[in-house]
Amino acid sequence: MPRRLETKLEGVVLLEPELHGDERGFMVETYRRDAWAELGIGVEFVQHNHSRSVRGTLRGLHFQTEPGQAKLVRCPRGRIFDVAVDLRRDSPTYGQWEGHELDDERHRQLFVPAGCGHGFAVLSELADVAYLLSSLYDPATESGIAWNDPDVGVEWPLDEPLLSERDRRAPTLAEVADTLPF
């Protein structure tokens, strides 16, 4: 059974799974509905995504507006700095962020609840990121905020990230705050 580690934002869960290994390699349980529910991740996942990125890539800060989308994120190859930003307007931690390193050695996972933005920066030469989603991807409801929004103040561990055009043009939280459904 994984161990739940301390987090700052309500609903964000950082898990450290139990690793079983020997000279042949390892085995790690990456999801089991009953065990994860006991640790605070009681959502039903309906989609599984996998991305690969090179060092210096920054993806985010993304979210789905309707119906919202929770994510269970892990990094099965390489190392990333994974970030959640609280976008729930009635939350005491609205506009705050937290970040955790996820990698292929400790196998930690980050659960990002619906109502939070998500992004990551690649710290290794190459990184694979796998994530379970609580709702299907819908391009009509995809949204985001600027990775470098000064009011949010994420302390990314890289200076000049590789960004998509979409992420380069993302608005600040203040610019979208009135339209957030959370």
Side-chain angles (χ1 to χ4, degrees):
M1 175 106 154
R3 182 171 64 109
R4 184 173 174 161
L5 304 174
E6 188 174 329
T7 56
K8 176 176 119 178
L9 304 177
E10 183 179 334
V12 171
V13 177
L14 180 63
L15 296 180
E16 187 169 77
E18 191 174 331
L19 187 66
H20 305 278
D22 59 26
E23 66 279 353
R24 300 168 297 157
F26 72 88
M27 194 289 292
V28 64
E29 192 172 71
T30 62
Y31 179 72
R32 194 175 87 209
R33 184 172 49 196
D34 61 338
W36 270 240
E38 281 183 39
L39 295 167
I41 303 172
V43 303
E44 180 181 346
F45 295 109
V46 298
Q47 185 173 328
H48 186 204
N49 290 354
H50 183 133
S51 70
R52 177 170 291 161
S53 305
V54 298
R55 180 189 299 275
T57 297
L58 191 151
R59 296 183 187 268
L61 297 158
H62 304 150
F63 59 95
Q64 295 282 137
T65 57
E66 295 294 334
Q69 188 176 72
K71 298 177 179 179
L72 180 59
V73 184
R74 65 188 189 92
C75 183
R77 177 182 185 181
R79 186 168 60 101
I80 64 170
F81 183 67
D82 205 44
V83 171
V85 178
D86 192 346
L87 303 176
R88 300 165 291 192
R89 290 182 288 174
D90 60 351
S91 169
T93 55
Y94 172 75
Q96 295 180 30
W97 67 277
E98 72 176 274
H100 300 276
E101 279 195 18
L102 305 180
D103 60 38
D104 59 8
E105 292 180 17
R106 292 178 296 174
H107 303 279
R108 288 182 173 172
Q109 298 176 353
L110 189 66
F111 176 72
V112 180
C116 288
H118 173 255
F120 64 87
V122 177
L123 305 176
S124 54
E125 287 302 314
L126 195 67
D128 285 358
V129 178
Y131 44 104
L132 298 172
L133 306 170
S134 67
S135 64
L136 298 175
Y137 170 74
D138 180 358
T141 67
E142 74 177 343
S143 194
I145 61 169
W147 67 277
N148 59 350
D149 183 333
D151 291 333
V152 175
V154 175
E155 295 173 15
W156 295 102
L158 42 90
D159 295 323
E160 295 183 33
L162 299 170
L163 299 166
S164 69
E165 188 57 34
R166 170 187 169 208
D167 290 343
R168 248 188 233 101
R169 294 180 288 113
T172 64
L173 178 54
E175 292 171 321
V176 299
D178 292 340
T179 66
L180 293 173
F182 316 115

